Amino acid sequence: MSGEKVVSIDGLTFSYDGLKVLEDVNLQISKNDFVWIVGPNGGGKTTLVKLILGLLQPRRGTVRVFGLEPAEARSRIGYMPQFAHLDPQFPINVLDVVLMGRLGNGNGLGPFRKKDKAVAERVLDEVGLLDMSRRSFSSLSGGQQRRILIARALAGEPDLLILDEPTANLDLLVEKELYDLLRELNSRLTIVMVSHDPAFVSDNVERVVCVKRKVSEHPTCELEGNFIGELFGGEMRLVRHDKHIGKRKNGE
Amino acid sequence: MSEFIDALMNHAFLQYAMLTGVLASIACGIVGTYVVTRRITYIGGGIAHSILGGMGVAYFLSATYKWNNLHPLYGALVAAILAAVVIGLISLRTREREDTVISSLWAVGMAVGILFISRTPGYNQDLMSYLFGNILMVTSSDLWLIIGLDILVAIIGVLFYNQLTAVCFDEEFARVRGLNVSFYYLLLLCLTALTVVILVTVVGVVMVIALLTLPVAVAGHFTRTMWGTMILATILSMIFVVIGLAVSYGPNLPAGATIILIAGLVYLIVAVGAGIFRYGREF
């Protein structure tokens, strides 16, 4: 059914060591929404995501995912954590990384089953890297590795995909390809994505949620000059990554 | 070398030593791979050194109260599991700095061991063999204990392969997949503890970290999967132990130190070789 509430946050407050990170947050996310979570570093984006995943517990207020406690809804959530904490030298091949997404789908001890491998190969195909399945994860490019991690998140056959800064440290072209992939996936999945980059302003953005202790939401059409300045504090200018200023002349 | 092979045919103590080394390599390859990829070799070192406390207490009790069945290895086993659980719970449940806790256990364990051994009546040759290992002194009853631990470690390490690998690779993702990450972390530390006890019989308390990490470090240059690393590390560890025993036997060198030197030398060659290979490809 359309309009189904995927995430429902009411009156949420969270603090670390008495320091309020999130205050009185209200946020509703419906089926097939594509939600960008933006805001300054330390503004509470990752904390908000961890609350939705049930990795943290709210001090006050409620978080419901598919109407359940977040921890109980995890089997329907696909998650891509921040990339930076992975060990680039870890000895593992692509297929085994993706298969990790099958853990918890009734998988107990011992090896994965045929069905798990079939699902893993299907999602690898979906992100366009099936022919890489036997390659070493560490030998892939940054963009390919992100795709593999998205495939791993998809391997649990989720209804909600949550990504924490999936495009950090990628160049613009690769970033765009990744966003295109996510938009394709959005046709069947609800997507919540943390992004720190203020230059994402893009035609297909559906919802932009700014987290800066308080959470505010704005229709994307308002996302222009003054508004960005208000969000990040002080005068800000939009960086036109899509265009380049003409070649510098000598001495300039 | 032929002298060594002759001796191996004729002397039970050498056969026990060889069997101990080969069996220890299995636990070493499996658990060492988890320990190295999870980057907790320092915990392995802490557990290894705190074991001396357990061995010292067991040694003291058996000599003072004539509890002849209380083998130092049992003391080691208790101390190792205790150290693993303490380190694990403190790092999971409290805000103490993990490396500080490990360092304290490391030194306090050794202090306890040295105190008890010094108060034990009789000849104290054993301290040296605990510290630096004496694989040639392994008895048949030691061997049974090692076989038992080895089977236990191998079964758990293989049965929980998917879970342990996921926790080593990406703990946060594993938690979201519904894995009890704390449980698997403690399980991994306990496996490390058991493996360390096995390895102490081969190379002693001080050199355990080397045998736990060097075969994996070498194997890591040649494989791209966890299980591949485990198998190769096991084989390498067996080779190091066998060659170390053979080389040390003739000139009567300390076996543990010889094994470690060979492992270290191979690692150095492989690491430098890999560096040169990469450099050559880039230019």
Side-chain angles (χ1 to χ4, degrees), chain A residues 17 50 55 74 79 85 87 91-92 101 103 105 108-110 112 152, chain B residues 37 39 95 159-160 162-163 166 170 172-173 175-177 224-226:
Chain A
D17 296 328
K50 288 189 172 171
L55 295 174
R74 278 179 190 159
Y79 176 47
H85 72 265
D87 175 2
I92 192 160
L103 286 169
N105 287 53
L109 306 182
F112 287 108
R152 180 180 69 163
Chain B
T37 55
R39 304 201 171 204
R95 296 202 167 176
L159 216 54
F160 289 93
N162 290 334
Q163 285 80 3
D170 189 345
E172 196 168 270
F173 182 82
R175 183 169 288 140
V176 173
R177 286 314 308 162
R224 60 183 65 161
T225 59
M226 286 288 274

PDB file of all heavy atoms in Angstrom, chain A residues 17 50 55 74 79 85 87 91-92 101 103 105 108-110 112 152, chain B residues 37 39 95 159-160 162-163 166 170 172-173 175-177 224-226:
ATOM      1  N   ASP A  17      26.518  11.993  27.145  1.00  0.00           N
ATOM      2  CA  ASP A  17      27.150  12.613  28.305  1.00  0.00           C
ATOM      3  C   ASP A  17      26.544  13.978  28.646  1.00  0.00           C
ATOM      4  O   ASP A  17      27.264  14.944  28.899  1.00  0.00           O
ATOM      5  CB  ASP A  17      28.665  12.801  28.063  1.00  0.00           C
ATOM      6  CG  ASP A  17      29.357  11.472  27.918  1.00  0.00           C
ATOM      7  OD1 ASP A  17      28.912  10.507  28.560  1.00  0.00           O
ATOM      8  OD2 ASP A  17      30.331  11.404  27.151  1.00  0.00           O
ATOM      9  N   LYS A  50      21.608   6.081  13.541  1.00  0.00           N
ATOM     10  CA  LYS A  50      21.782   4.984  14.500  1.00  0.00           C
ATOM     11  C   LYS A  50      20.541   4.776  15.362  1.00  0.00           C
ATOM     12  O   LYS A  50      20.266   3.654  15.801  1.00  0.00           O
ATOM     13  CB  LYS A  50      23.015   5.232  15.371  1.00  0.00           C
ATOM     14  CG  LYS A  50      24.302   5.028  14.584  1.00  0.00           C
ATOM     15  CD  LYS A  50      25.532   5.054  15.448  1.00  0.00           C
ATOM     16  CE  LYS A  50      26.734   4.651  14.587  1.00  0.00           C
ATOM     17  NZ  LYS A  50      28.003   4.850  15.264  1.00  0.00           N
ATOM     18  N   LEU A  55      20.564   1.122  17.003  1.00  0.00           N
ATOM     19  CA  LEU A  55      21.888   0.947  17.598  1.00  0.00           C
ATOM     20  C   LEU A  55      22.039   1.852  18.815  1.00  0.00           C
ATOM     21  O   LEU A  55      22.893   1.621  19.667  1.00  0.00           O
ATOM     22  CB  LEU A  55      22.994   1.268  16.579  1.00  0.00           C
ATOM     23  CG  LEU A  55      23.077   0.325  15.378  1.00  0.00           C
ATOM     24  CD1 LEU A  55      24.104   0.813  14.366  1.00  0.00           C
ATOM     25  CD2 LEU A  55      23.418  -1.093  15.824  1.00  0.00           C
ATOM     26  N   ARG A  74      14.877  -4.739  11.940  1.00  0.00           N
ATOM     27  CA  ARG A  74      16.153  -4.761  11.229  1.00  0.00           C
ATOM     28  C   ARG A  74      16.180  -5.702  10.040  1.00  0.00           C
ATOM     29  O   ARG A  74      16.919  -5.469   9.081  1.00  0.00           O
ATOM     30  CB  ARG A  74      17.285  -5.152  12.185  1.00  0.00           C
ATOM     31  CG  ARG A  74      17.776  -3.988  12.995  1.00  0.00           C
ATOM     32  CD  ARG A  74      18.867  -4.455  13.927  1.00  0.00           C
ATOM     33  NE  ARG A  74      19.206  -3.427  14.894  1.00  0.00           N
ATOM     34  CZ  ARG A  74      19.801  -3.687  16.044  1.00  0.00           C
ATOM     35  NH1 ARG A  74      20.103  -4.920  16.374  1.00  0.00           N
ATOM     36  NH2 ARG A  74      20.099  -2.709  16.867  1.00  0.00           N
ATOM     37  N   TYR A  79      21.620  -1.718   5.333  1.00  0.00           N
ATOM     38  CA  TYR A  79      22.411  -0.632   5.901  1.00  0.00           C
ATOM     39  C   TYR A  79      23.792  -0.597   5.267  1.00  0.00           C
ATOM     40  O   TYR A  79      24.433  -1.617   5.091  1.00  0.00           O
ATOM     41  CB  TYR A  79      22.518  -0.852   7.413  1.00  0.00           C
ATOM     42  CG  TYR A  79      23.394   0.124   8.158  1.00  0.00           C
ATOM     43  CD1 TYR A  79      23.292   1.494   7.942  1.00  0.00           C
ATOM     44  CD2 TYR A  79      24.308  -0.335   9.100  1.00  0.00           C
ATOM     45  CE1 TYR A  79      24.096   2.383   8.648  1.00  0.00           C
ATOM     46  CE2 TYR A  79      25.108   0.545   9.819  1.00  0.00           C
ATOM     47  CZ  TYR A  79      25.000   1.906   9.585  1.00  0.00           C
ATOM     48  OH  TYR A  79      25.790   2.775  10.286  1.00  0.00           O
ATOM     49  N   HIS A  85      35.655   3.236   8.194  1.00  0.00           N
ATOM     50  CA  HIS A  85      36.126   2.361   9.263  1.00  0.00           C
ATOM     51  C   HIS A  85      36.481   0.951   8.788  1.00  0.00           C
ATOM     52  O   HIS A  85      36.915   0.124   9.569  1.00  0.00           O
ATOM     53  CB  HIS A  85      35.111   2.315  10.415  1.00  0.00           C
ATOM     54  CG  HIS A  85      33.869   1.549  10.110  1.00  0.00           C
ATOM     55  ND1 HIS A  85      32.724   2.137   9.654  1.00  0.00           N
ATOM     56  CD2 HIS A  85      33.607   0.228  10.164  1.00  0.00           C
ATOM     57  CE1 HIS A  85      31.807   1.217   9.457  1.00  0.00           C
ATOM     58  NE2 HIS A  85      32.319   0.054   9.745  1.00  0.00           N
ATOM     59  N   ASP A  87      38.748  -1.918   7.020  1.00  0.00           N
ATOM     60  CA  ASP A  87      40.173  -2.158   6.832  1.00  0.00           C
ATOM     61  C   ASP A  87      40.433  -2.433   5.351  1.00  0.00           C
ATOM     62  O   ASP A  87      39.955  -3.422   4.812  1.00  0.00           O
ATOM     63  CB  ASP A  87      40.580  -3.370   7.680  1.00  0.00           C
ATOM     64  CG  ASP A  87      42.026  -3.763   7.464  1.00  0.00           C
ATOM     65  OD1 ASP A  87      42.720  -3.080   6.696  1.00  0.00           O
ATOM     66  OD2 ASP A  87      42.452  -4.751   8.078  1.00  0.00           O
ATOM     67  N   PRO A  91      41.428  -9.526   4.045  1.00  0.00           N
ATOM     68  CA  PRO A  91      41.464 -10.569   3.008  1.00  0.00           C
ATOM     69  C   PRO A  91      40.074 -11.158   2.758  1.00  0.00           C
ATOM     70  O   PRO A  91      39.652 -12.087   3.435  1.00  0.00           O
ATOM     71  CB  PRO A  91      42.396 -11.630   3.618  1.00  0.00           C
ATOM     72  CG  PRO A  91      42.224 -11.488   5.094  1.00  0.00           C
ATOM     73  CD  PRO A  91      41.915 -10.028   5.348  1.00  0.00           C
ATOM     74  N   ILE A  92      39.388 -10.616   1.779  1.00  0.00           N
ATOM     75  CA  ILE A  92      38.039 -11.122   1.522  1.00  0.00           C
ATOM     76  C   ILE A  92      37.694 -10.810   0.072  1.00  0.00           C
ATOM     77  O   ILE A  92      38.139  -9.808  -0.479  1.00  0.00           O
ATOM     78  CB  ILE A  92      37.039 -10.463   2.498  1.00  0.00           C
ATOM     79  CG1 ILE A  92      35.694 -11.181   2.456  1.00  0.00           C
ATOM     80  CG2 ILE A  92      36.855  -8.970   2.228  1.00  0.00           C
ATOM     81  CD1 ILE A  92      34.847 -10.920   3.671  1.00  0.00           C
ATOM     82  N   GLY A 101      25.543  -9.826   3.950  1.00  0.00           N
ATOM     83  CA  GLY A 101      24.201  -9.278   4.006  1.00  0.00           C
ATOM     84  C   GLY A 101      23.130 -10.340   4.191  1.00  0.00           C
ATOM     85  O   GLY A 101      21.983 -10.030   4.479  1.00  0.00           O
ATOM     86  N   LEU A 103      23.466 -12.763   6.432  1.00  0.00           N
ATOM     87  CA  LEU A 103      23.463 -13.164   7.846  1.00  0.00           C
ATOM     88  C   LEU A 103      22.173 -12.670   8.490  1.00  0.00           C
ATOM     89  O   LEU A 103      21.684 -11.597   8.183  1.00  0.00           O
ATOM     90  CB  LEU A 103      24.660 -12.564   8.582  1.00  0.00           C
ATOM     91  CG  LEU A 103      26.010 -13.205   8.279  1.00  0.00           C
ATOM     92  CD1 LEU A 103      27.128 -12.358   8.861  1.00  0.00           C
ATOM     93  CD2 LEU A 103      26.071 -14.612   8.852  1.00  0.00           C
ATOM     94  N   ASN A 105      19.302 -13.818   8.038  1.00  0.00           N
ATOM     95  CA  ASN A 105      18.128 -14.282   7.299  1.00  0.00           C
ATOM     96  C   ASN A 105      17.938 -15.782   7.549  1.00  0.00           C
ATOM     97  O   ASN A 105      17.973 -16.587   6.630  1.00  0.00           O
ATOM     98  CB  ASN A 105      18.301 -14.049   5.791  1.00  0.00           C
ATOM     99  CG  ASN A 105      18.185 -12.591   5.438  1.00  0.00           C
ATOM    100  OD1 ASN A 105      18.878 -11.763   6.016  1.00  0.00           O
ATOM    101  ND2 ASN A 105      17.292 -12.257   4.533  1.00  0.00           N
ATOM    102  N   GLY A 108      22.118 -19.762  10.432  1.00  0.00           N
ATOM    103  CA  GLY A 108      22.762 -20.069  11.692  1.00  0.00           C
ATOM    104  C   GLY A 108      24.211 -20.411  11.456  1.00  0.00           C
ATOM    105  O   GLY A 108      24.921 -19.711  10.768  1.00  0.00           O
ATOM    106  N   LEU A 109      24.622 -21.564  11.995  1.00  0.00           N
ATOM    107  CA  LEU A 109      26.021 -21.961  11.894  1.00  0.00           C
ATOM    108  C   LEU A 109      26.297 -22.616  10.554  1.00  0.00           C
ATOM    109  O   LEU A 109      25.390 -23.028   9.846  1.00  0.00           O
ATOM    110  CB  LEU A 109      26.346 -22.932  13.031  1.00  0.00           C
ATOM    111  CG  LEU A 109      25.995 -22.399  14.410  1.00  0.00           C
ATOM    112  CD1 LEU A 109      26.388 -23.403  15.465  1.00  0.00           C
ATOM    113  CD2 LEU A 109      26.676 -21.081  14.648  1.00  0.00           C
ATOM    114  N   GLY A 110      27.586 -22.704  10.243  1.00  0.00           N
ATOM    115  CA  GLY A 110      27.993 -23.402   9.034  1.00  0.00           C
ATOM    116  C   GLY A 110      27.885 -22.522   7.808  1.00  0.00           C
ATOM    117  O   GLY A 110      27.583 -21.341   7.907  1.00  0.00           O
ATOM    118  N   PHE A 112      27.008 -20.774   4.043  1.00  0.00           N
ATOM    119  CA  PHE A 112      25.801 -20.223   3.433  1.00  0.00           C
ATOM    120  C   PHE A 112      25.170 -21.237   2.493  1.00  0.00           C
ATOM    121  O   PHE A 112      25.845 -22.133   1.983  1.00  0.00           O
ATOM    122  CB  PHE A 112      26.154 -18.955   2.645  1.00  0.00           C
ATOM    123  CG  PHE A 112      26.454 -17.778   3.512  1.00  0.00           C
ATOM    124  CD1 PHE A 112      27.746 -17.307   3.649  1.00  0.00           C
ATOM    125  CD2 PHE A 112      25.434 -17.144   4.210  1.00  0.00           C
ATOM    126  CE1 PHE A 112      28.028 -16.217   4.458  1.00  0.00           C
ATOM    127  CE2 PHE A 112      25.706 -16.048   5.015  1.00  0.00           C
ATOM    128  CZ  PHE A 112      27.003 -15.588   5.146  1.00  0.00           C
ATOM    129  N   ARG A 152      25.715  -5.469  -0.633  1.00  0.00           N
ATOM    130  CA  ARG A 152      25.634  -6.179   0.647  1.00  0.00           C
ATOM    131  C   ARG A 152      24.387  -5.753   1.412  1.00  0.00           C
ATOM    132  O   ARG A 152      23.689  -6.587   2.009  1.00  0.00           O
ATOM    133  CB  ARG A 152      26.888  -5.882   1.477  1.00  0.00           C
ATOM    134  CG  ARG A 152      26.901  -6.560   2.822  1.00  0.00           C
ATOM    135  CD  ARG A 152      28.148  -6.258   3.613  1.00  0.00           C
ATOM    136  NE  ARG A 152      28.199  -4.862   4.045  1.00  0.00           N
ATOM    137  CZ  ARG A 152      28.998  -4.412   5.002  1.00  0.00           C
ATOM    138  NH1 ARG A 152      29.817  -5.240   5.625  1.00  0.00           N
ATOM    139  NH2 ARG A 152      29.002  -3.140   5.334  1.00  0.00           N
TER     140      ARG A 152
ATOM    141  N   THR B  37      43.170  -9.966  11.483  1.00  0.00           N
ATOM    142  CA  THR B  37      42.263  -9.126  10.700  1.00  0.00           C
ATOM    143  C   THR B  37      41.436  -8.221  11.608  1.00  0.00           C
ATOM    144  O   THR B  37      41.072  -7.115  11.229  1.00  0.00           O
ATOM    145  CB  THR B  37      41.308  -9.950   9.829  1.00  0.00           C
ATOM    146  OG1 THR B  37      40.612 -10.882  10.664  1.00  0.00           O
ATOM    147  CG2 THR B  37      42.057 -10.701   8.760  1.00  0.00           C
ATOM    148  N   ARG B  39      42.600  -6.983  14.213  1.00  0.00           N
ATOM    149  CA  ARG B  39      43.619  -6.106  14.803  1.00  0.00           C
ATOM    150  C   ARG B  39      43.618  -6.142  16.322  1.00  0.00           C
ATOM    151  O   ARG B  39      43.562  -5.099  16.981  1.00  0.00           O
ATOM    152  CB  ARG B  39      43.441  -4.667  14.324  1.00  0.00           C
ATOM    153  CG  ARG B  39      43.475  -4.609  12.823  1.00  0.00           C
ATOM    154  CD  ARG B  39      43.803  -3.257  12.294  1.00  0.00           C
ATOM    155  NE  ARG B  39      44.012  -3.374  10.851  1.00  0.00           N
ATOM    156  CZ  ARG B  39      44.731  -2.533  10.138  1.00  0.00           C
ATOM    157  NH1 ARG B  39      45.313  -1.538  10.703  1.00  0.00           N
ATOM    158  NH2 ARG B  39      44.873  -2.734   8.851  1.00  0.00           N
ATOM    159  N   ARG B  95      34.189   2.344  30.395  1.00  0.00           N
ATOM    160  CA  ARG B  95      34.838   3.354  29.574  1.00  0.00           C
ATOM    161  C   ARG B  95      36.334   3.409  29.814  1.00  0.00           C
ATOM    162  O   ARG B  95      36.989   4.387  29.467  1.00  0.00           O
ATOM    163  CB  ARG B  95      34.219   4.719  29.858  1.00  0.00           C
ATOM    164  CG  ARG B  95      32.775   4.759  29.466  1.00  0.00           C
ATOM    165  CD  ARG B  95      32.366   6.171  29.250  1.00  0.00           C
ATOM    166  NE  ARG B  95      31.079   6.232  28.582  1.00  0.00           N
ATOM    167  CZ  ARG B  95      30.453   7.346  28.333  1.00  0.00           C
ATOM    168  NH1 ARG B  95      31.000   8.480  28.691  1.00  0.00           N
ATOM    169  NH2 ARG B  95      29.294   7.341  27.735  1.00  0.00           N
ATOM    170  N   LEU B 159      32.889 -23.478  12.587  1.00  0.00           N
ATOM    171  CA  LEU B 159      31.423 -23.446  12.658  1.00  0.00           C
ATOM    172  C   LEU B 159      30.886 -22.010  12.638  1.00  0.00           C
ATOM    173  O   LEU B 159      29.869 -21.729  12.002  1.00  0.00           O
ATOM    174  CB  LEU B 159      30.991 -24.130  13.965  1.00  0.00           C
ATOM    175  CG  LEU B 159      29.710 -24.948  13.949  1.00  0.00           C
ATOM    176  CD1 LEU B 159      29.753 -25.987  12.844  1.00  0.00           C
ATOM    177  CD2 LEU B 159      29.506 -25.623  15.294  1.00  0.00           C
ATOM    178  N   PHE B 160      31.573 -21.107  13.314  1.00  0.00           N
ATOM    179  CA  PHE B 160      31.125 -19.711  13.387  1.00  0.00           C
ATOM    180  C   PHE B 160      31.860 -18.826  12.377  1.00  0.00           C
ATOM    181  O   PHE B 160      31.939 -17.615  12.547  1.00  0.00           O
ATOM    182  CB  PHE B 160      31.351 -19.152  14.804  1.00  0.00           C
ATOM    183  CG  PHE B 160      30.425 -19.729  15.836  1.00  0.00           C
ATOM    184  CD1 PHE B 160      30.805 -20.831  16.585  1.00  0.00           C
ATOM    185  CD2 PHE B 160      29.180 -19.165  16.065  1.00  0.00           C
ATOM    186  CE1 PHE B 160      29.961 -21.367  17.542  1.00  0.00           C
ATOM    187  CE2 PHE B 160      28.327 -19.689  17.017  1.00  0.00           C
ATOM    188  CZ  PHE B 160      28.720 -20.804  17.755  1.00  0.00           C
ATOM    189  N   ASN B 162      31.284 -17.627   9.356  1.00  0.00           N
ATOM    190  CA  ASN B 162      30.572 -16.484   8.753  1.00  0.00           C
ATOM    191  C   ASN B 162      30.374 -15.365   9.757  1.00  0.00           C
ATOM    192  O   ASN B 162      30.567 -14.186   9.445  1.00  0.00           O
ATOM    193  CB  ASN B 162      29.201 -16.920   8.222  1.00  0.00           C
ATOM    194  CG  ASN B 162      29.334 -17.814   7.004  1.00  0.00           C
ATOM    195  OD1 ASN B 162      30.320 -17.729   6.286  1.00  0.00           O
ATOM    196  ND2 ASN B 162      28.360 -18.669   6.785  1.00  0.00           N
ATOM    197  N   GLN B 163      29.961 -15.743  10.966  1.00  0.00           N
ATOM    198  CA  GLN B 163      29.676 -14.738  11.984  1.00  0.00           C
ATOM    199  C   GLN B 163      30.960 -14.020  12.414  1.00  0.00           C
ATOM    200  O   GLN B 163      31.003 -12.791  12.494  1.00  0.00           O
ATOM    201  CB  GLN B 163      29.018 -15.399  13.208  1.00  0.00           C
ATOM    202  CG  GLN B 163      27.562 -15.774  13.009  1.00  0.00           C
ATOM    203  CD  GLN B 163      27.374 -17.077  12.232  1.00  0.00           C
ATOM    204  OE1 GLN B 163      28.339 -17.759  11.871  1.00  0.00           O
ATOM    205  NE2 GLN B 163      26.128 -17.431  11.960  1.00  0.00           N
ATOM    206  N   ALA B 166      32.268 -11.729   9.713  1.00  0.00           N
ATOM    207  CA  ALA B 166      31.461 -10.506   9.603  1.00  0.00           C
ATOM    208  C   ALA B 166      31.801  -9.540  10.735  1.00  0.00           C
ATOM    209  O   ALA B 166      31.911  -8.331  10.524  1.00  0.00           O
ATOM    210  CB  ALA B 166      29.973 -10.856   9.631  1.00  0.00           C
ATOM    211  N   ASP B 170      33.273  -5.889   9.719  1.00  0.00           N
ATOM    212  CA  ASP B 170      32.426  -4.708   9.882  1.00  0.00           C
ATOM    213  C   ASP B 170      31.420  -4.964  11.006  1.00  0.00           C
ATOM    214  O   ASP B 170      30.321  -5.463  10.774  1.00  0.00           O
ATOM    215  CB  ASP B 170      31.700  -4.428   8.556  1.00  0.00           C
ATOM    216  CG  ASP B 170      30.960  -3.099   8.571  1.00  0.00           C
ATOM    217  OD1 ASP B 170      30.771  -2.532   9.657  1.00  0.00           O
ATOM    218  OD2 ASP B 170      30.557  -2.653   7.484  1.00  0.00           O
ATOM    219  N   GLU B 172      29.659  -2.999  12.904  1.00  0.00           N
ATOM    220  CA  GLU B 172      28.398  -2.263  12.932  1.00  0.00           C
ATOM    221  C   GLU B 172      27.363  -2.903  12.000  1.00  0.00           C
ATOM    222  O   GLU B 172      26.198  -3.054  12.346  1.00  0.00           O
ATOM    223  CB  GLU B 172      28.658  -0.815  12.522  1.00  0.00           C
ATOM    224  CG  GLU B 172      27.532   0.098  12.871  1.00  0.00           C
ATOM    225  CD  GLU B 172      27.955   1.547  12.727  1.00  0.00           C
ATOM    226  OE1 GLU B 172      28.444   2.089  13.726  1.00  0.00           O
ATOM    227  OE2 GLU B 172      27.808   2.127  11.646  1.00  0.00           O
ATOM    228  N   PHE B 173      27.838  -3.277  10.811  1.00  0.00           N
ATOM    229  CA  PHE B 173      26.929  -3.936   9.876  1.00  0.00           C
ATOM    230  C   PHE B 173      26.424  -5.253  10.467  1.00  0.00           C
ATOM    231  O   PHE B 173      25.233  -5.576  10.384  1.00  0.00           O
ATOM    232  CB  PHE B 173      27.631  -4.200   8.542  1.00  0.00           C
ATOM    233  CG  PHE B 173      26.736  -4.844   7.522  1.00  0.00           C
ATOM    234  CD1 PHE B 173      25.870  -4.071   6.769  1.00  0.00           C
ATOM    235  CD2 PHE B 173      26.746  -6.218   7.333  1.00  0.00           C
ATOM    236  CE1 PHE B 173      25.026  -4.660   5.840  1.00  0.00           C
ATOM    237  CE2 PHE B 173      25.900  -6.808   6.407  1.00  0.00           C
ATOM    238  CZ  PHE B 173      25.042  -6.035   5.661  1.00  0.00           C
ATOM    239  N   ARG B 175      25.992  -6.018  13.495  1.00  0.00           N
ATOM    240  CA  ARG B 175      24.994  -5.761  14.538  1.00  0.00           C
ATOM    241  C   ARG B 175      23.634  -5.476  13.918  1.00  0.00           C
ATOM    242  O   ARG B 175      22.611  -5.966  14.381  1.00  0.00           O
ATOM    243  CB  ARG B 175      25.462  -4.589  15.416  1.00  0.00           C
ATOM    244  CG  ARG B 175      24.526  -4.297  16.563  1.00  0.00           C
ATOM    245  CD  ARG B 175      25.119  -3.331  17.553  1.00  0.00           C
ATOM    246  NE  ARG B 175      26.174  -3.957  18.330  1.00  0.00           N
ATOM    247  CZ  ARG B 175      27.302  -3.359  18.666  1.00  0.00           C
ATOM    248  NH1 ARG B 175      27.525  -2.122  18.297  1.00  0.00           N
ATOM    249  NH2 ARG B 175      28.212  -3.988  19.376  1.00  0.00           N
ATOM    250  N   VAL B 176      23.634  -4.698  12.851  1.00  0.00           N
ATOM    251  CA  VAL B 176      22.359  -4.384  12.196  1.00  0.00           C
ATOM    252  C   VAL B 176      21.747  -5.639  11.575  1.00  0.00           C
ATOM    253  O   VAL B 176      20.531  -5.766  11.476  1.00  0.00           O
ATOM    254  CB  VAL B 176      22.548  -3.272  11.141  1.00  0.00           C
ATOM    255  CG1 VAL B 176      21.280  -3.045  10.339  1.00  0.00           C
ATOM    256  CG2 VAL B 176      22.957  -1.982  11.824  1.00  0.00           C
ATOM    257  N   ARG B 177      22.589  -6.590  11.171  1.00  0.00           N
ATOM    258  CA  ARG B 177      22.058  -7.861  10.652  1.00  0.00           C
ATOM    259  C   ARG B 177      21.527  -8.749  11.779  1.00  0.00           C
ATOM    260  O   ARG B 177      21.145  -9.884  11.526  1.00  0.00           O
ATOM    261  CB  ARG B 177      23.129  -8.643   9.882  1.00  0.00           C
ATOM    262  CG  ARG B 177      23.494  -8.128   8.512  1.00  0.00           C
ATOM    263  CD  ARG B 177      22.329  -7.775   7.629  1.00  0.00           C
ATOM    264  NE  ARG B 177      21.335  -8.826   7.498  1.00  0.00           N
ATOM    265  CZ  ARG B 177      20.091  -8.625   7.064  1.00  0.00           C
ATOM    266  NH1 ARG B 177      19.687  -7.441   6.728  1.00  0.00           N
ATOM    267  NH2 ARG B 177      19.253  -9.624   6.976  1.00  0.00           N
ATOM    268  N   ARG B 224      43.342 -14.052  -0.888  1.00  0.00           N
ATOM    269  CA  ARG B 224      42.404 -12.932  -0.832  1.00  0.00           C
ATOM    270  C   ARG B 224      41.128 -13.300  -0.104  1.00  0.00           C
ATOM    271  O   ARG B 224      40.141 -12.584  -0.179  1.00  0.00           O
ATOM    272  CB  ARG B 224      42.101 -12.442  -2.243  1.00  0.00           C
ATOM    273  CG  ARG B 224      41.481 -13.495  -3.121  1.00  0.00           C
ATOM    274  CD  ARG B 224      41.265 -12.989  -4.524  1.00  0.00           C
ATOM    275  NE  ARG B 224      42.529 -12.708  -5.185  1.00  0.00           N
ATOM    276  CZ  ARG B 224      42.656 -12.616  -6.499  1.00  0.00           C
ATOM    277  NH1 ARG B 224      41.617 -12.770  -7.271  1.00  0.00           N
ATOM    278  NH2 ARG B 224      43.827 -12.389  -7.039  1.00  0.00           N
ATOM    279  N   THR B 225      41.135 -14.451   0.582  1.00  0.00           N
ATOM    280  CA  THR B 225      39.960 -14.794   1.388  1.00  0.00           C
ATOM    281  C   THR B 225      40.402 -15.175   2.796  1.00  0.00           C
ATOM    282  O   THR B 225      41.563 -15.498   3.028  1.00  0.00           O
ATOM    283  CB  THR B 225      39.199 -16.001   0.800  1.00  0.00           C
ATOM    284  OG1 THR B 225      40.093 -17.107   0.743  1.00  0.00           O
ATOM    285  CG2 THR B 225      38.681 -15.699  -0.593  1.00  0.00           C
ATOM    286  N   MET B 226      39.446 -15.125   3.714  1.00  0.00           N
ATOM    287  CA  MET B 226      39.734 -15.504   5.092  1.00  0.00           C
ATOM    288  C   MET B 226      40.116 -16.973   5.181  1.00  0.00           C
ATOM    289  O   MET B 226      41.106 -17.343   5.806  1.00  0.00           O
ATOM    290  CB  MET B 226      38.514 -15.244   5.982  1.00  0.00           C
ATOM    291  CG  MET B 226      38.252 -13.797   6.288  1.00  0.00           C
ATOM    292  SD  MET B 226      39.463 -13.129   7.448  1.00  0.00           S
ATOM    293  CE  MET B 226      38.721 -13.589   9.013  1.00  0.00           C
TER     294      MET B 226
END
